[in-house]
Amino acid sequence: MKNEVILSHTDHRPFPLPHGPWLMKQGWNDVLCAHWPVSENVLRPLIPDGLELEKHDGSAWLTVIPFRLSPLRLRGLPPIPFVQDFLELNVRTYVSRKGKPGIYFFNLEASNSLAVKGARTFAHLPYHHARMSIRRDHDSYLHYTSMRSLPQAEDPVFIGSYKPVNNTLFHAEPGSLVHWLTERYCLFATTSKGKILTGDIHHFPWPLQEVQLQLTTNQLTQYHGFELQGPPAVATYTRRLEALFWPLRKC
């Protein structure tokens, strides 16, 4: 999709587009968003000073998102060789700073080591390289696996299968929990010295579908100290969404 078309649709944003040109474009494919309510007493100590943990109806939330990233390109350039198509798995929660809502990542796994090094260096995000795979079976289930090798701890493993229930698309209703969880247009990160950075994001409203999910193993969240009970309280599928990213800045 042309960038001008994406930029022309802004009425759904909770705050205006940032000044200056965007830096990077990503395509998110076969996205599963699996959400669990988590006690704020568990999450709050892990949130950097200067960020406020957000809650919806009294509960904080943790989200696991496996997907395929393709393509990745910088403004004015073709897709970046060797890092234009890879798998990614995120663990995130919901925060704000000075009234601006966004997301905070506890972990990001990626199957491309060059992408991991670039994101850790330039975006100050907790990326890690992992062995990952995705395949679609004859029943249209996407089978997604991720395992990161650790020298002195049990390998955090994620294994899950998911597929959209039908072809009916919907957008989350403003004010609903799904809208609160999905329609986020900035991320927050911290430098090694504890400085808080923010990066703006823009895309169309999430085109969502109901999803069938079989979650076999979710040791990635356990590795970070989150004991999630049962299946996710909320889960959605998105076939594809294109997003524009602006450079990170101090906030």
PDB file of all heavy atoms in Angstrom, residues 24 26 69 72 80-88 108-129:
ATOM      1  N   MET A  24      10.963   4.190   8.897  1.00  0.00           N
ATOM      2  CA  MET A  24      10.950   2.779   8.538  1.00  0.00           C
ATOM      3  C   MET A  24       9.526   2.302   8.320  1.00  0.00           C
ATOM      4  O   MET A  24       8.587   2.783   8.954  1.00  0.00           O
ATOM      5  CB  MET A  24      11.605   1.952   9.650  1.00  0.00           C
ATOM      6  CG  MET A  24      11.639   0.454   9.424  1.00  0.00           C
ATOM      7  SD  MET A  24      12.590  -0.413  10.716  1.00  0.00           S
ATOM      8  CE  MET A  24      11.676   0.055  12.190  1.00  0.00           C
ATOM      9  N   GLN A  26       7.205  -1.345   8.030  1.00  0.00           N
ATOM     10  CA  GLN A  26       7.171  -2.782   8.257  1.00  0.00           C
ATOM     11  C   GLN A  26       5.830  -3.341   7.803  1.00  0.00           C
ATOM     12  O   GLN A  26       4.795  -2.679   7.925  1.00  0.00           O
ATOM     13  CB  GLN A  26       7.354  -3.107   9.744  1.00  0.00           C
ATOM     14  CG  GLN A  26       8.702  -2.735  10.314  1.00  0.00           C
ATOM     15  CD  GLN A  26       8.836  -3.128  11.773  1.00  0.00           C
ATOM     16  OE1 GLN A  26       7.940  -3.744  12.359  1.00  0.00           O
ATOM     17  NE2 GLN A  26       9.963  -2.776  12.376  1.00  0.00           N
ATOM     18  N   LEU A  69       7.379 -10.774   9.864  1.00  0.00           N
ATOM     19  CA  LEU A  69       7.651  -9.407   9.430  1.00  0.00           C
ATOM     20  C   LEU A  69       8.199  -9.434   8.010  1.00  0.00           C
ATOM     21  O   LEU A  69       9.271  -9.971   7.761  1.00  0.00           O
ATOM     22  CB  LEU A  69       8.652  -8.745  10.381  1.00  0.00           C
ATOM     23  CG  LEU A  69       8.742  -7.210  10.344  1.00  0.00           C
ATOM     24  CD1 LEU A  69       9.376  -6.694  11.636  1.00  0.00           C
ATOM     25  CD2 LEU A  69       9.555  -6.729   9.159  1.00  0.00           C
ATOM     26  N   LEU A  72      10.694  -5.297   5.492  1.00  0.00           N
ATOM     27  CA  LEU A  72      11.219  -4.206   6.307  1.00  0.00           C
ATOM     28  C   LEU A  72      12.038  -3.320   5.391  1.00  0.00           C
ATOM     29  O   LEU A  72      12.916  -3.795   4.681  1.00  0.00           O
ATOM     30  CB  LEU A  72      12.086  -4.752   7.447  1.00  0.00           C
ATOM     31  CG  LEU A  72      12.652  -3.749   8.457  1.00  0.00           C
ATOM     32  CD1 LEU A  72      12.898  -4.436   9.798  1.00  0.00           C
ATOM     33  CD2 LEU A  72      13.966  -3.123   7.976  1.00  0.00           C
ATOM     34  N   ILE A  80      15.486  -4.037   2.848  1.00  0.00           N
ATOM     35  CA  ILE A  80      16.875  -4.196   3.275  1.00  0.00           C
ATOM     36  C   ILE A  80      17.314  -5.627   3.024  1.00  0.00           C
ATOM     37  O   ILE A  80      16.683  -6.575   3.505  1.00  0.00           O
ATOM     38  CB  ILE A  80      17.022  -3.845   4.763  1.00  0.00           C
ATOM     39  CG1 ILE A  80      16.522  -2.421   5.026  1.00  0.00           C
ATOM     40  CG2 ILE A  80      18.465  -3.997   5.216  1.00  0.00           C
ATOM     41  CD1 ILE A  80      16.475  -2.054   6.487  1.00  0.00           C
ATOM     42  N   PRO A  81      18.412  -5.835   2.258  1.00  0.00           N
ATOM     43  CA  PRO A  81      18.882  -7.197   1.996  1.00  0.00           C
ATOM     44  C   PRO A  81      19.165  -7.960   3.290  1.00  0.00           C
ATOM     45  O   PRO A  81      19.670  -7.398   4.259  1.00  0.00           O
ATOM     46  CB  PRO A  81      20.172  -6.965   1.197  1.00  0.00           C
ATOM     47  CG  PRO A  81      20.025  -5.607   0.608  1.00  0.00           C
ATOM     48  CD  PRO A  81      19.239  -4.818   1.602  1.00  0.00           C
ATOM     49  N   PHE A  82      18.781  -9.224   3.303  1.00  0.00           N
ATOM     50  CA  PHE A  82      19.046 -10.165   4.392  1.00  0.00           C
ATOM     51  C   PHE A  82      18.183  -9.941   5.634  1.00  0.00           C
ATOM     52  O   PHE A  82      18.173 -10.780   6.533  1.00  0.00           O
ATOM     53  CB  PHE A  82      20.530 -10.159   4.800  1.00  0.00           C
ATOM     54  CG  PHE A  82      21.485 -10.317   3.657  1.00  0.00           C
ATOM     55  CD1 PHE A  82      22.289  -9.276   3.243  1.00  0.00           C
ATOM     56  CD2 PHE A  82      21.548 -11.519   2.964  1.00  0.00           C
ATOM     57  CE1 PHE A  82      23.161  -9.422   2.186  1.00  0.00           C
ATOM     58  CE2 PHE A  82      22.420 -11.689   1.906  1.00  0.00           C
ATOM     59  CZ  PHE A  82      23.226 -10.629   1.505  1.00  0.00           C
ATOM     60  N   VAL A  83      17.456  -8.821   5.735  1.00  0.00           N
ATOM     61  CA  VAL A  83      16.596  -8.611   6.906  1.00  0.00           C
ATOM     62  C   VAL A  83      15.193  -8.177   6.480  1.00  0.00           C
ATOM     63  O   VAL A  83      14.472  -7.535   7.235  1.00  0.00           O
ATOM     64  CB  VAL A  83      17.191  -7.574   7.884  1.00  0.00           C
ATOM     65  CG1 VAL A  83      18.455  -8.085   8.517  1.00  0.00           C
ATOM     66  CG2 VAL A  83      17.423  -6.231   7.198  1.00  0.00           C
ATOM     67  N   GLN A  84      14.780  -8.544   5.280  1.00  0.00           N
ATOM     68  CA  GLN A  84      13.478  -8.078   4.793  1.00  0.00           C
ATOM     69  C   GLN A  84      12.350  -9.040   5.119  1.00  0.00           C
ATOM     70  O   GLN A  84      11.176  -8.682   4.971  1.00  0.00           O
ATOM     71  CB  GLN A  84      13.540  -7.861   3.279  1.00  0.00           C
ATOM     72  CG  GLN A  84      13.878  -9.115   2.483  1.00  0.00           C
ATOM     73  CD  GLN A  84      13.869  -8.851   0.996  1.00  0.00           C
ATOM     74  OE1 GLN A  84      12.904  -8.321   0.464  1.00  0.00           O
ATOM     75  NE2 GLN A  84      14.951  -9.184   0.324  1.00  0.00           N
ATOM     76  N   ASP A  85      12.664 -10.237   5.610  1.00  0.00           N
ATOM     77  CA  ASP A  85      11.617 -11.224   5.874  1.00  0.00           C
ATOM     78  C   ASP A  85      12.091 -12.132   7.006  1.00  0.00           C
ATOM     79  O   ASP A  85      13.034 -12.908   6.835  1.00  0.00           O
ATOM     80  CB  ASP A  85      11.337 -12.034   4.612  1.00  0.00           C
ATOM     81  CG  ASP A  85      10.101 -12.908   4.730  1.00  0.00           C
ATOM     82  OD1 ASP A  85       9.724 -13.261   5.871  1.00  0.00           O
ATOM     83  OD2 ASP A  85       9.503 -13.248   3.695  1.00  0.00           O
ATOM     84  N   PHE A  86      11.434 -12.023   8.186  1.00  0.00           N
ATOM     85  CA  PHE A  86      11.824 -12.880   9.308  1.00  0.00           C
ATOM     86  C   PHE A  86      10.657 -13.002  10.278  1.00  0.00           C
ATOM     87  O   PHE A  86       9.662 -12.275  10.185  1.00  0.00           O
ATOM     88  CB  PHE A  86      13.081 -12.361  10.009  1.00  0.00           C
ATOM     89  CG  PHE A  86      12.978 -10.945  10.522  1.00  0.00           C
ATOM     90  CD1 PHE A  86      12.541 -10.674  11.806  1.00  0.00           C
ATOM     91  CD2 PHE A  86      13.351  -9.875   9.713  1.00  0.00           C
ATOM     92  CE1 PHE A  86      12.457  -9.372  12.278  1.00  0.00           C
ATOM     93  CE2 PHE A  86      13.276  -8.565  10.176  1.00  0.00           C
ATOM     94  CZ  PHE A  86      12.823  -8.311  11.458  1.00  0.00           C
ATOM     95  N   LEU A  87      10.787 -13.916  11.222  1.00  0.00           N
ATOM     96  CA  LEU A  87       9.760 -14.135  12.232  1.00  0.00           C
ATOM     97  C   LEU A  87      10.079 -13.331  13.485  1.00  0.00           C
ATOM     98  O   LEU A  87      11.250 -13.086  13.805  1.00  0.00           O
ATOM     99  CB  LEU A  87       9.666 -15.621  12.579  1.00  0.00           C
ATOM    100  CG  LEU A  87       9.311 -16.552  11.419  1.00  0.00           C
ATOM    101  CD1 LEU A  87       9.248 -17.994  11.902  1.00  0.00           C
ATOM    102  CD2 LEU A  87       8.001 -16.149  10.763  1.00  0.00           C
ATOM    103  N   GLU A  88       9.017 -12.949  14.190  1.00  0.00           N
ATOM    104  CA  GLU A  88       9.198 -12.168  15.410  1.00  0.00           C
ATOM    105  C   GLU A  88       8.128 -12.573  16.421  1.00  0.00           C
ATOM    106  O   GLU A  88       7.012 -12.943  16.054  1.00  0.00           O
ATOM    107  CB  GLU A  88       9.121 -10.673  15.119  1.00  0.00           C
ATOM    108  CG  GLU A  88       9.454  -9.799  16.315  1.00  0.00           C
ATOM    109  CD  GLU A  88       9.646  -8.336  15.945  1.00  0.00           C
ATOM    110  OE1 GLU A  88      10.298  -8.062  14.916  1.00  0.00           O
ATOM    111  OE2 GLU A  88       9.144  -7.475  16.684  1.00  0.00           O
ATOM    112  N   LEU A 108      11.573  -9.288  22.859  1.00  0.00           N
ATOM    113  CA  LEU A 108      11.278  -9.452  21.443  1.00  0.00           C
ATOM    114  C   LEU A 108      12.225 -10.507  20.897  1.00  0.00           C
ATOM    115  O   LEU A 108      13.449 -10.340  20.946  1.00  0.00           O
ATOM    116  CB  LEU A 108      11.447  -8.146  20.658  1.00  0.00           C
ATOM    117  CG  LEU A 108      10.639  -6.941  21.135  1.00  0.00           C
ATOM    118  CD1 LEU A 108      11.514  -6.033  21.990  1.00  0.00           C
ATOM    119  CD2 LEU A 108      10.093  -6.148  19.958  1.00  0.00           C
ATOM    120  N   GLU A 109      11.683 -11.607  20.413  1.00  0.00           N
ATOM    121  CA  GLU A 109      12.468 -12.651  19.760  1.00  0.00           C
ATOM    122  C   GLU A 109      12.392 -12.436  18.246  1.00  0.00           C
ATOM    123  O   GLU A 109      11.343 -12.047  17.729  1.00  0.00           O
ATOM    124  CB  GLU A 109      11.912 -14.031  20.084  1.00  0.00           C
ATOM    125  CG  GLU A 109      11.664 -14.295  21.552  1.00  0.00           C
ATOM    126  CD  GLU A 109      12.912 -14.773  22.267  1.00  0.00           C
ATOM    127  OE1 GLU A 109      13.216 -15.965  22.208  1.00  0.00           O
ATOM    128  OE2 GLU A 109      13.566 -13.921  22.900  1.00  0.00           O
ATOM    129  N   ALA A 110      13.474 -12.702  17.551  1.00  0.00           N
ATOM    130  CA  ALA A 110      13.469 -12.605  16.095  1.00  0.00           C
ATOM    131  C   ALA A 110      14.375 -13.675  15.518  1.00  0.00           C
ATOM    132  O   ALA A 110      15.386 -14.052  16.131  1.00  0.00           O
ATOM    133  CB  ALA A 110      13.913 -11.220  15.636  1.00  0.00           C
ATOM    134  N   SER A 111      14.017 -14.153  14.328  1.00  0.00           N
ATOM    135  CA  SER A 111      14.775 -15.240  13.704  1.00  0.00           C
ATOM    136  C   SER A 111      15.974 -14.741  12.913  1.00  0.00           C
ATOM    137  O   SER A 111      16.757 -15.554  12.419  1.00  0.00           O
ATOM    138  CB  SER A 111      13.855 -16.042  12.776  1.00  0.00           C
ATOM    139  OG  SER A 111      13.360 -15.217  11.724  1.00  0.00           O
ATOM    140  N   ASN A 112      16.137 -13.424  12.781  1.00  0.00           N
ATOM    141  CA  ASN A 112      17.232 -12.851  11.998  1.00  0.00           C
ATOM    142  C   ASN A 112      18.216 -12.152  12.932  1.00  0.00           C
ATOM    143  O   ASN A 112      17.866 -11.171  13.584  1.00  0.00           O
ATOM    144  CB  ASN A 112      16.673 -11.874  10.968  1.00  0.00           C
ATOM    145  CG  ASN A 112      17.724 -11.384   9.997  1.00  0.00           C
ATOM    146  OD1 ASN A 112      18.604 -10.629  10.371  1.00  0.00           O
ATOM    147  ND2 ASN A 112      17.624 -11.818   8.746  1.00  0.00           N
ATOM    148  N   SER A 113      19.451 -12.635  12.968  1.00  0.00           N
ATOM    149  CA  SER A 113      20.443 -12.092  13.904  1.00  0.00           C
ATOM    150  C   SER A 113      20.842 -10.667  13.541  1.00  0.00           C
ATOM    151  O   SER A 113      21.134  -9.853  14.433  1.00  0.00           O
ATOM    152  CB  SER A 113      21.680 -12.994  13.948  1.00  0.00           C
ATOM    153  OG  SER A 113      22.263 -13.111  12.657  1.00  0.00           O
ATOM    154  N   LEU A 114      20.853 -10.317  12.254  1.00  0.00           N
ATOM    155  CA  LEU A 114      21.206  -8.950  11.860  1.00  0.00           C
ATOM    156  C   LEU A 114      20.129  -7.960  12.320  1.00  0.00           C
ATOM    157  O   LEU A 114      20.443  -6.865  12.790  1.00  0.00           O
ATOM    158  CB  LEU A 114      21.388  -8.866  10.349  1.00  0.00           C
ATOM    159  CG  LEU A 114      22.621  -9.569   9.771  1.00  0.00           C
ATOM    160  CD1 LEU A 114      22.610  -9.457   8.249  1.00  0.00           C
ATOM    161  CD2 LEU A 114      23.895  -8.980  10.333  1.00  0.00           C
ATOM    162  N   ALA A 115      18.878  -8.355  12.182  1.00  0.00           N
ATOM    163  CA  ALA A 115      17.792  -7.499  12.650  1.00  0.00           C
ATOM    164  C   ALA A 115      17.868  -7.313  14.161  1.00  0.00           C
ATOM    165  O   ALA A 115      17.616  -6.221  14.683  1.00  0.00           O
ATOM    166  CB  ALA A 115      16.448  -8.099  12.254  1.00  0.00           C
ATOM    167  N   VAL A 116      18.216  -8.371  14.869  1.00  0.00           N
ATOM    168  CA  VAL A 116      18.345  -8.292  16.328  1.00  0.00           C
ATOM    169  C   VAL A 116      19.439  -7.295  16.715  1.00  0.00           C
ATOM    170  O   VAL A 116      19.228  -6.428  17.576  1.00  0.00           O
ATOM    171  CB  VAL A 116      18.649  -9.686  16.916  1.00  0.00           C
ATOM    172  CG1 VAL A 116      19.095  -9.575  18.375  1.00  0.00           C
ATOM    173  CG2 VAL A 116      17.430 -10.584  16.797  1.00  0.00           C
ATOM    174  N   LYS A 117      20.585  -7.401  16.081  1.00  0.00           N
ATOM    175  CA  LYS A 117      21.690  -6.491  16.413  1.00  0.00           C
ATOM    176  C   LYS A 117      21.339  -5.041  16.102  1.00  0.00           C
ATOM    177  O   LYS A 117      21.638  -4.133  16.882  1.00  0.00           O
ATOM    178  CB  LYS A 117      22.941  -6.913  15.643  1.00  0.00           C
ATOM    179  CG  LYS A 117      23.530  -8.247  16.098  1.00  0.00           C
ATOM    180  CD  LYS A 117      24.731  -8.636  15.255  1.00  0.00           C
ATOM    181  CE  LYS A 117      25.310  -9.978  15.695  1.00  0.00           C
ATOM    182  NZ  LYS A 117      26.454 -10.410  14.830  1.00  0.00           N
ATOM    183  N   GLY A 118      20.690  -4.823  14.971  1.00  0.00           N
ATOM    184  CA  GLY A 118      20.314  -3.465  14.603  1.00  0.00           C
ATOM    185  C   GLY A 118      19.304  -2.871  15.572  1.00  0.00           C
ATOM    186  O   GLY A 118      19.424  -1.711  15.982  1.00  0.00           O
ATOM    187  N   ALA A 119      18.286  -3.655  15.957  1.00  0.00           N
ATOM    188  CA  ALA A 119      17.257  -3.147  16.865  1.00  0.00           C
ATOM    189  C   ALA A 119      17.813  -2.896  18.259  1.00  0.00           C
ATOM    190  O   ALA A 119      17.443  -1.922  18.925  1.00  0.00           O
ATOM    191  CB  ALA A 119      16.096  -4.130  16.925  1.00  0.00           C
ATOM    192  N   ARG A 120      18.704  -3.754  18.723  1.00  0.00           N
ATOM    193  CA  ARG A 120      19.294  -3.549  20.055  1.00  0.00           C
ATOM    194  C   ARG A 120      20.187  -2.311  20.061  1.00  0.00           C
ATOM    195  O   ARG A 120      20.219  -1.556  21.040  1.00  0.00           O
ATOM    196  CB  ARG A 120      20.100  -4.773  20.481  1.00  0.00           C
ATOM    197  CG  ARG A 120      19.263  -6.008  20.759  1.00  0.00           C
ATOM    198  CD  ARG A 120      20.121  -7.160  21.253  1.00  0.00           C
ATOM    199  NE  ARG A 120      20.656  -6.898  22.575  1.00  0.00           N
ATOM    200  CZ  ARG A 120      20.074  -7.264  23.712  1.00  0.00           C
ATOM    201  NH1 ARG A 120      18.916  -7.913  23.682  1.00  0.00           N
ATOM    202  NH2 ARG A 120      20.619  -6.997  24.874  1.00  0.00           N
ATOM    203  N   THR A 121      20.891  -2.086  18.958  1.00  0.00           N
ATOM    204  CA  THR A 121      21.842  -0.983  18.902  1.00  0.00           C
ATOM    205  C   THR A 121      21.155   0.358  18.710  1.00  0.00           C
ATOM    206  O   THR A 121      21.444   1.329  19.422  1.00  0.00           O
ATOM    207  CB  THR A 121      22.851  -1.205  17.764  1.00  0.00           C
ATOM    208  OG1 THR A 121      23.560  -2.436  17.990  1.00  0.00           O
ATOM    209  CG2 THR A 121      23.853  -0.057  17.695  1.00  0.00           C
ATOM    210  N   PHE A 122      20.224   0.420  17.767  1.00  0.00           N
ATOM    211  CA  PHE A 122      19.661   1.711  17.378  1.00  0.00           C
ATOM    212  C   PHE A 122      18.303   2.013  18.022  1.00  0.00           C
ATOM    213  O   PHE A 122      17.936   3.179  18.138  1.00  0.00           O
ATOM    214  CB  PHE A 122      19.535   1.779  15.856  1.00  0.00           C
ATOM    215  CG  PHE A 122      20.848   1.664  15.143  1.00  0.00           C
ATOM    216  CD1 PHE A 122      21.185   0.511  14.446  1.00  0.00           C
ATOM    217  CD2 PHE A 122      21.769   2.702  15.185  1.00  0.00           C
ATOM    218  CE1 PHE A 122      22.401   0.398  13.799  1.00  0.00           C
ATOM    219  CE2 PHE A 122      22.995   2.600  14.534  1.00  0.00           C
ATOM    220  CZ  PHE A 122      23.318   1.445  13.844  1.00  0.00           C
ATOM    221  N   ALA A 123      17.581   0.977  18.446  1.00  0.00           N
ATOM    222  CA  ALA A 123      16.262   1.211  19.030  1.00  0.00           C
ATOM    223  C   ALA A 123      16.214   0.927  20.525  1.00  0.00           C
ATOM    224  O   ALA A 123      15.188   1.148  21.160  1.00  0.00           O
ATOM    225  CB  ALA A 123      15.210   0.359  18.320  1.00  0.00           C
ATOM    226  N   HIS A 124      17.308   0.397  21.082  1.00  0.00           N
ATOM    227  CA  HIS A 124      17.381   0.120  22.520  1.00  0.00           C
ATOM    228  C   HIS A 124      16.246  -0.797  22.977  1.00  0.00           C
ATOM    229  O   HIS A 124      15.728  -0.647  24.085  1.00  0.00           O
ATOM    230  CB  HIS A 124      17.363   1.432  23.315  1.00  0.00           C
ATOM    231  CG  HIS A 124      18.467   2.378  22.948  1.00  0.00           C
ATOM    232  ND1 HIS A 124      19.731   2.285  23.482  1.00  0.00           N
ATOM    233  CD2 HIS A 124      18.482   3.421  22.086  1.00  0.00           C
ATOM    234  CE1 HIS A 124      20.488   3.246  22.985  1.00  0.00           C
ATOM    235  NE2 HIS A 124      19.757   3.940  22.122  1.00  0.00           N
ATOM    236  N   LEU A 125      15.892  -1.740  22.133  1.00  0.00           N
ATOM    237  CA  LEU A 125      14.827  -2.677  22.454  1.00  0.00           C
ATOM    238  C   LEU A 125      15.411  -4.045  22.798  1.00  0.00           C
ATOM    239  O   LEU A 125      16.437  -4.447  22.233  1.00  0.00           O
ATOM    240  CB  LEU A 125      13.869  -2.813  21.269  1.00  0.00           C
ATOM    241  CG  LEU A 125      13.015  -1.578  20.963  1.00  0.00           C
ATOM    242  CD1 LEU A 125      12.297  -1.749  19.640  1.00  0.00           C
ATOM    243  CD2 LEU A 125      12.017  -1.323  22.080  1.00  0.00           C
ATOM    244  N   PRO A 126      14.780  -4.782  23.721  1.00  0.00           N
ATOM    245  CA  PRO A 126      15.336  -6.058  24.206  1.00  0.00           C
ATOM    246  C   PRO A 126      15.115  -7.217  23.243  1.00  0.00           C
ATOM    247  O   PRO A 126      14.403  -8.186  23.539  1.00  0.00           O
ATOM    248  CB  PRO A 126      14.598  -6.268  25.528  1.00  0.00           C
ATOM    249  CG  PRO A 126      13.276  -5.609  25.316  1.00  0.00           C
ATOM    250  CD  PRO A 126      13.557  -4.402  24.458  1.00  0.00           C
ATOM    251  N   TYR A 127      15.728  -7.118  22.066  1.00  0.00           N
ATOM    252  CA  TYR A 127      15.645  -8.175  21.072  1.00  0.00           C
ATOM    253  C   TYR A 127      16.622  -9.304  21.392  1.00  0.00           C
ATOM    254  O   TYR A 127      17.716  -9.066  21.921  1.00  0.00           O
ATOM    255  CB  TYR A 127      15.971  -7.632  19.681  1.00  0.00           C
ATOM    256  CG  TYR A 127      14.780  -7.155  18.894  1.00  0.00           C
ATOM    257  CD1 TYR A 127      14.321  -5.849  19.013  1.00  0.00           C
ATOM    258  CD2 TYR A 127      14.098  -8.001  18.019  1.00  0.00           C
ATOM    259  CE1 TYR A 127      13.231  -5.390  18.284  1.00  0.00           C
ATOM    260  CE2 TYR A 127      13.018  -7.559  17.282  1.00  0.00           C
ATOM    261  CZ  TYR A 127      12.595  -6.254  17.417  1.00  0.00           C
ATOM    262  OH  TYR A 127      11.519  -5.816  16.694  1.00  0.00           O
ATOM    263  N   HIS A 128      16.208 -10.535  21.016  1.00  0.00           N
ATOM    264  CA  HIS A 128      17.064 -11.709  21.170  1.00  0.00           C
ATOM    265  C   HIS A 128      16.889 -12.602  19.945  1.00  0.00           C
ATOM    266  O   HIS A 128      15.783 -12.725  19.400  1.00  0.00           O
ATOM    267  CB  HIS A 128      16.704 -12.494  22.431  1.00  0.00           C
ATOM    268  CG  HIS A 128      16.803 -11.696  23.691  1.00  0.00           C
ATOM    269  ND1 HIS A 128      17.989 -11.533  24.372  1.00  0.00           N
ATOM    270  CD2 HIS A 128      15.863 -11.002  24.382  1.00  0.00           C
ATOM    271  CE1 HIS A 128      17.781 -10.782  25.439  1.00  0.00           C
ATOM    272  NE2 HIS A 128      16.513 -10.441  25.467  1.00  0.00           N
ATOM    273  N   HIS A 129      17.979 -13.230  19.541  1.00  0.00           N
ATOM    274  CA  HIS A 129      17.907 -14.150  18.412  1.00  0.00           C
ATOM    275  C   HIS A 129      17.361 -15.490  18.885  1.00  0.00           C
ATOM    276  O   HIS A 129      17.714 -15.984  19.961  1.00  0.00           O
ATOM    277  CB  HIS A 129      19.285 -14.345  17.787  1.00  0.00           C
ATOM    278  CG  HIS A 129      19.267 -15.231  16.591  1.00  0.00           C
ATOM    279  ND1 HIS A 129      19.950 -16.425  16.529  1.00  0.00           N
ATOM    280  CD2 HIS A 129      18.629 -15.102  15.398  1.00  0.00           C
ATOM    281  CE1 HIS A 129      19.747 -16.988  15.358  1.00  0.00           C
ATOM    282  NE2 HIS A 129      18.953 -16.208  14.657  1.00  0.00           N
TER     283      HIS A 129
END
